[in-house]
Amino acid sequence: QVQLVESGGGSVQAGGSLRLSCAASGRTFSNIAMAWFRQAPGKEREVVARIRWSGDSAYYGDSVKGRFTISRDNAKNTVYLQMNSLKPEDTAVYYCNAVRPGSTMGLFSWGQGTQVTVSS
């Protein structure tokens, strides 16, 4: 059974940084693209960043480009999201999931997510 466990969220002031982690288990993830999503209250879940299985290519949403960095450690089945220069509009619950190349849909059941709150 696939499990996705996100951690690292918290409350920070605008301009601060956080590093999120996503530990995946239940199957091999080293051959599949992974993505970070977020969902703010009253809004749909959106893709924040996506990384190729090899880690050599990444996609970022326009709102986070230049501030967030996605990375992965396939030996640890873990995906990271380094978030710098955080803004109040980054406040949301953040989730990770596997995705097909070019897709914005998660392949497995969602984890509990990790809350990020940015105050002005």
Side-chain angles (χ1 to χ4, degrees):
Q1 182 177 353
V2 170
Q3 265 200 317
L4 300 166
V5 180
E6 301 90 350
S7 62
S11 297
V12 296
Q13 290 193 324
S17 298
L18 285 172
R19 189 193 194 206
L20 307 184
S21 298
C22 167
S25 62
R27 60 151 283 162
T28 299
F29 283 84
S30 59
N31 59 353
I32 195 167
M34 296 292 291
W36 280 98
F37 299 75
R38 68 185 180 187
Q39 187 167 22
K43 295 188 177 181
E44 290 189 358
R45 189 173 288 160
E46 62 172 349
V47 173
V48 173
R50 190 174 63 232
I51 188 166
R52 194 165 175 254
W53 66 271
S54 58
D56 62 354
S57 177
Y59 156 87
Y60 296 94
D62 288 342
S63 61
V64 306
K65 205 171 293 184
R67 299 188 298 122
F68 291 11
T69 303
I70 188 171
S71 61
R72 65 190 297 164
D73 184 337
N74 285 339
K76 297 181 179 179
N77 262 5
T78 302
V79 183
Y80 305 98
L81 186 68
Q82 178 66 44
M83 306 188 297
N84 298 328
S85 303
L86 282 161
K87 304 176 180 180
E89 50 264 45
D90 294 319
T91 295
V93 179
Y94 285 70
Y95 304 86
C96 69
N97 211 322
V99 293
R100 290 197 172 87
S103 172
T104 59
M105 295 187 63
L107 292 179
F108 302 112
S109 296
W110 297 95
Q112 83 288 350
T114 186
Q115 175 72 48
V116 172
T117 303
V118 185
S119 57
S120 57

